[in-house]
């Protein structure tokens, strides 16, 4: 095929690459700023020029054929180099700018991200933030996110990850509840309390602890309680209403611990395995990170560097 003919197929090749990344004609069309019909036409034109099927379509999914995958692997690097070269040039001019699409868990986003956004946006008026709060894990590249804020123990190897701060799970209860039912001296004492736990389908409710100081032996206890939920804010509110002892991330209890509305239970013990112990900013791997994304990550690292509790 002549160079002139190949040159006319650049939009079609780029569309195939995006289709392979996003797995959907609709998502690829949105990212490229064209209609779904245009996307379909481009792929059909490319298949006619190649003389072989490149995409396998079903009612439920879109997959590349072996030939389609080979073509993507052979051409993706060129488009990435063009994109990076153009971005390198434009991104050095003036202040950081553009849209940053972010996804974060509901509780973490509401309590820790949203209050920090005004200061960042005032300092960077040309950056726009689009924040989606969801406790479901999004496929970042496929769903078009630039960044995910994640509460986890490890970051995926296939992504770029920045550590924002350490975090921990804490046992909390109201003064009213503790006056009525007493405090706990060891994890075994939790058997006598109404334990408010984070509900995960298929798991038996139990909590594990290790001493903050001394031997690191892990102590696991089966717990029971009259209430469970899959949202840490809901569990915190149940504890505030004197329903029992809740195990929640420190960022959820931070304000109420500081005000004295909640009291830490078993402060000499650290909960293990209930939630992640690091807050990460995660981005799909790419050789280039836009300045707007980098600026937002740098801001979060500074704003969250001290964590949420004084003993971290």
């Amino acid at each position: 095929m002549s160079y002139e003919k190949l040159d006319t197929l650049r939009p079609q090749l780029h569309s195939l690459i995006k289709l392979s990344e996003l797995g959907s004609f609709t998502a690829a069309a949105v990212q490229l700023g064209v209609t779904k019909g245009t996307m379909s036409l481009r792929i059909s034109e490319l298949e006619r020029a190649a003389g072989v099927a490149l995409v396998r379509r079903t009612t439920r999914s879109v997959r590349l054929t072996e030939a389609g995958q080979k073509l993507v692997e052979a051409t993706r690097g060129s488009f990435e180099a063009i994109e990076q070269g153009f971005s390198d040039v434009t991104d050095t001019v003036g202040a950081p700018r553009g849209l940053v699409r972010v996804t974060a868990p509901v509780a973490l986003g509401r309590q820790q991200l949203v209050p920090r956004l005004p200061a960042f946006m005032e300092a960077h008026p040309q950056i726009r933030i689009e924040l989606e709060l969801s406790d479901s894990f999004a496929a970042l590249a496929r769903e078009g996110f630039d960044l995910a804020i994640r509460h986890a123990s490890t970051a995926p190897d296939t992504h770029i990850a920045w550590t924002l701060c350490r975090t921990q799970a804490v046992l909390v209860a109201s003064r009213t509840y503790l006056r009525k039912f007493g405090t706990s001296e060891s994890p075994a004492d939790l058997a006598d309390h109404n334990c408010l736990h984070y509900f995960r389908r298929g798991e038996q409710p139990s909590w594990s602890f290790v001493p903050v100081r001394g031997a690191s032996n892990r102590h696991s206890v089966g717990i029971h309680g009259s209430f469970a939920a899959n949202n840490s804010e809901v569990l915190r509110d149940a504890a505030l209403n004197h329903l029992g002892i809740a195990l929640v991330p420190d960022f959820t209890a931070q304000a109420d611990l500081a005000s004295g509305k909640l009291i830490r239970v078993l402060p000499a013990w650290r909960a293990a395995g209930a939630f992640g112990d690091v807050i990460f900013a995660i981005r799909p791997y790419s050789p280039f990170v836009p300045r707007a994304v980098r600026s937002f990550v740098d801001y979060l690292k500074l704003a969250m560097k001290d964590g949420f509790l004084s003993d971290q």
Side-chain angles (χ1 to χ4, degrees):
M1 185 179 293
S2 67
Y3 175 83
E4 289 76 13
K5 177 62 176 177
L6 283 172
D7 196 45
T8 64
L9 293 174
R10 286 179 184 269
Q12 290 83 347
L13 287 166
H14 194 208
S15 296
L16 182 67
I17 291 168
K18 289 300 177 184
L19 185 61
S20 73
E21 293 173 353
L22 303 175
S24 161
F25 275 92
T26 301
V30 169
Q31 190 166 115
L32 291 174
V34 300
T35 65
K36 184 179 177 181
T38 297
M39 271 292 302
S40 182
L41 178 62
R42 286 180 177 179
I43 299 303
S44 296
E45 290 172 344
L46 192 59
E47 288 179 323
R48 282 197 298 272
V52 64
L54 302 173
V55 176
R56 186 176 296 109
R57 306 166 178 83
T58 69
T59 56
R60 293 186 177 182
S61 64
V62 176
R63 295 179 180 275
L64 268 60
T65 64
E66 183 179 355
Q69 192 60 47
K70 285 183 178 179
L71 186 57
V72 166
E73 291 171 359
T75 57
R76 177 187 279 130
S78 297
F79 282 95
E80 288 179 346
I82 293 170
E83 181 179 1
Q84 180 173 347
F86 191 78
S87 296
D88 285 346
V89 172
T90 59
D91 213 35
T92 59
V93 180
R97 69 192 70 196
L99 174 66
V100 180
R101 295 195 67 228
V102 183
T103 178
V106 176
L108 179 62
R110 281 167 44 91
Q111 297 159 18
Q112 303 297 335
L113 289 186
V114 172
R116 290 175 165 86
L117 288 180
F120 174 78
M121 301 187 78
E122 183 177 355
H124 299 85
Q126 296 186 64
I127 295 178
R128 294 175 293 124
I129 302 291
E130 186 176 292
L131 176 62
E132 179 174 304
L133 299 180
S134 173
D135 290 328
S136 299
F137 284 95
L140 303 187
R142 179 170 297 177
E143 298 184 31
F145 289 108
D146 298 294
L147 203 64
I149 309 303
R150 287 283 179 260
H151 183 205
S153 295
T154 59
D157 294 336
T158 54
H159 289 60
I160 302 170
W162 298 269
T163 297
L164 301 182
C165 66
R166 304 288 300 180
T167 179
Q168 61 178 295
V170 291
L171 280 175
V172 296
S174 69
R175 294 179 186 273
T176 299
Y177 175 87
L178 294 175
R179 279 196 298 266
K180 185 174 182 180
F181 295 100
T183 58
S184 299
E185 299 298 328
S186 74
D189 295 338
L190 294 171
D192 299 324
H193 287 275
N194 194 39
C195 296
L196 315 174
H197 68 278
Y198 194 98
F199 173 74
R200 293 181 175 90
R201 193 175 301 277
E203 292 186 7
Q204 292 298 318
S206 66
W207 290 340
S208 296
F209 302 88
V210 294
V212 173
R213 294 182 177 85
S216 59
N217 295 336
R218 187 164 176 154
H219 297 255
S220 295
V221 293
I223 50 107
H224 64 274
S226 60
F227 182 71
N230 66 343
N231 180 275
S232 63
E233 290 180 300
V234 172
L235 293 173
R236 176 204 61 197
D237 289 350
L240 284 168
N241 284 283
H242 326 303
L243 192 56
I245 298 176
L247 181 61
V248 296
D250 53 3
F251 56 78
T252 293
Q254 180 186 27
D256 293 302
L257 286 171
S259 69
K261 293 180 180 178
L262 290 176
I263 304 297
R264 286 189 68 172
V265 177
L266 296 178
W269 295 81
R270 185 183 296 272
F275 302 97
D277 50 18
V278 180
I279 305 296
F280 291 105
I282 298 173
R283 173 175 168 76
Y285 177 78
S286 66
F288 172 76
V289 179
R291 282 177 68 204
V293 174
R294 170 66 73 175
S295 296
F296 188 51
V297 170
D298 288 345
Y299 169 77
L300 291 179
K301 288 170 66 177
L302 183 62
M304 300 174 71
K305 64 183 177 65
D306 293 328
F308 310 109
L309 297 180
S310 59
D311 62 348
Q312 286 181 324

